[in-house]
Amino acid sequence: MAGSSARFAVRRILCVGRNYAAHAREMGADLREPPFFFTKPADAVCDSGTAVPYPSLTGNLHHEVELVVAIGTGGADIAAGAALAHVWGYGVGIDLTRRDLQNAAKAKGHPWDWGKAFDLSAPCGPLTPAAAIGSLVDARIELTVNGTVRQSATTADMIWSVPEIIAAASTAIRLEPGDLIYTGTPEGVGPVVAGDRMDASIAGLEPLWIKLT
Ligand code: MN
């Protein structure tokens, strides 16, 4: 939690696939699809400043900067119009992806887990309470690698808004306090290698950085 030594008790991690049009296009996807989700284990979260060992089994590890929504109040079948009342706060996350394993899984119709849900695959910066921040509907979202901008967009480019994502997820499962939702990444994803430093930011939120070792 930003400005505090208290830690947000992470329960589950949900992630939205393809939620920015230009990124969906760069992945060759259909923009008209309803939102879909995959998950990561709760202990995939790691803090800003973590030294992340380059993961096993991959030669094509990708960064994906994302707005993270932290659920504070549970519910099922939440209406989009009521969804923001379920949000405790927001943070900056990176959905680390073993792209080669994800692409192989897609090609075979296999689950994405080994491409997405590996150890330390969900770096997350400090969470700021929703009440303490302004609007995030048109906020600059950016990721640099070793100081070079790789991803730079606005959250206004999200295909599905935060309320729509919460509404959609809560039709499938009951959301509970502690659930984190990674809301998808804008265009510009790409590979990182051992030694690279990633800095991720969203205007109005605490930044996140990690270093690959
Ligand atoms: Mn992602």
Side-chain angles (χ1 to χ4, degrees):
M1 297 175 175
S4 163
S5 59
R7 295 187 64 80
F8 188 81
V10 177
R11 180 173 183 271
R12 277 184 302 206
I13 304 172
L14 309 180
C15 305
V16 182
R18 302 178 195 131
N19 198 32
Y20 288 76
H23 172 63
R25 279 193 293 271
E26 79 182 353
M27 301 303 288
D30 179 351
L31 304 185
R32 295 161 300 177
E33 276 186 1
F36 69 94
F37 296 84
F38 58 91
T39 64
K40 295 181 187 244
D43 65 1
V45 167
C46 59
D47 290 343
S48 185
T50 297
V52 177
Y54 192 89
S56 62
L57 301 182
T58 185
N60 196 19
L61 181 71
H62 276 207
H63 55 78
E64 298 190 354
V65 61
E66 312 205 355
L67 171 65
V68 177
V69 177
I71 298 295
T73 305
D77 294 321
I78 297 167
L84 292 182
H86 293 261
V87 175
W88 182 86
Y90 298 92
V92 179
I94 301 175
D95 167 15
L96 286 173
T97 301
R98 294 192 284 205
R99 190 73 72 202
D100 39 6
L101 298 193
Q102 184 199 23
N103 286 340
K106 282 183 186 174
K108 292 185 173 179
H110 287 175
W112 285 14
D113 297 53
W114 282 177
K116 289 289 195 179
F118 52 94
D119 299 336
L120 305 180
S121 61
C124 187
L127 299 172
T128 301
I133 51 182
S135 173
L136 290 172
V137 298
D138 184 12
R140 177 63 33 186
I141 177 170
E142 203 160 82
L143 182 138
T144 67
V145 178
N146 304 326
T148 300
V149 176
R150 292 275 195 91
Q151 295 184 269
S152 183
T154 161
T155 56
D157 293 341
M158 290 170 72
I159 297 169
W160 302 97
S161 68
V162 168
E164 289 169 335
I165 289 166
I166 292 170
S170 72
T171 64
I173 54 173
R174 182 183 164 82
L175 294 176
E176 298 290 357
D179 289 342
L180 297 182
I181 306 176
Y182 283 59
T183 58
T185 195
E187 67 276 18
V189 301
V192 279
V193 298
D196 282 348
R197 173 177 166 140
M198 286 160 263
D199 282 88
S201 63
I202 296 173
L205 298 179
E206 294 291 315
L208 161 68
W209 69 272
I210 58 168
K211 185 166 176 130
L212 279 180
T213 63

